[in-house]
Amino acid sequence: VQLQASGGGLVQAGGSLRLSCVASGSIISINAMGWYRQAPGKQRELVAAITSGGSTNYADSVKGRFTISRDNAKNTVYLQMNSLKPEDTAVYYCNANLHDSYYSQSRDYWGKGTQVTVSS
């Protein structure tokens, strides 16, 4: 199983970016998918998550600015980021909790990360 994230880049404060992450490989089903971020010198933190049924959860710092969505048919999760701030600068990682076997519990997979840089 692989998670491939894309869409990061450099943007000015107030701008927008859209991240995408596709899960591929031997996937039976996907539970929650989400985005985390890690800024230099800080711990990795949850940005947003979405269940297979569409329930969402956001960090307080991004509520009202970021929107997470997913396309279950494409095993893809998106993160629309609007009104970006310099403090949103970080490496963004996608995560999926999924079943890759009928004989074991679900487990977490991580993408390699994509850099988001917001200039002031």
Side-chain angles (χ1 to χ4, degrees):
V1 176
Q2 290 186 330
L3 271 62
Q4 182 65 50
S6 61
L10 173 64
V11 64
Q12 288 188 333
S16 298
L17 284 173
R18 188 190 194 211
L19 305 183
S20 301
C21 177
V22 181
S24 62
S26 181
I27 299 170
I28 306 300
S29 63
I30 302 178
N31 299 323
M33 302 184 80
W35 291 93
Y36 290 71
R37 67 186 181 187
Q38 187 167 19
K42 294 188 177 181
Q43 290 188 331
R44 189 174 297 188
E45 63 175 357
L46 173 68
V47 177
I50 184 168
T51 67
S52 58
S55 297
T56 58
N57 181 39
Y58 294 94
D60 288 341
S61 60
V62 306
K63 284 180 180 177
R65 299 188 298 122
F66 291 10
T67 302
I68 190 170
S69 61
R70 64 189 279 177
D71 184 332
N72 291 330
K74 296 181 178 180
N75 291 341
T76 300
V77 62
Y78 306 96
L79 185 67
Q80 178 65 45
M81 305 185 293
N82 298 328
S83 302
L84 282 161
K85 303 176 181 180
E87 50 263 44
D88 295 318
T89 295
V91 177
Y92 283 69
Y93 297 91
C94 64
N95 165 273
N97 180 270
L98 58 86
H99 290 268
D100 57 10
S101 169
Y102 290 106
Y103 308 107
S104 62
Q105 293 183 334
S106 65
R107 53 181 172 174
D108 284 330
Y109 285 88
W110 293 88
K112 289 186 177 180
T114 184
Q115 177 70 46
V116 172
T117 303
V118 184
S119 63
S120 58

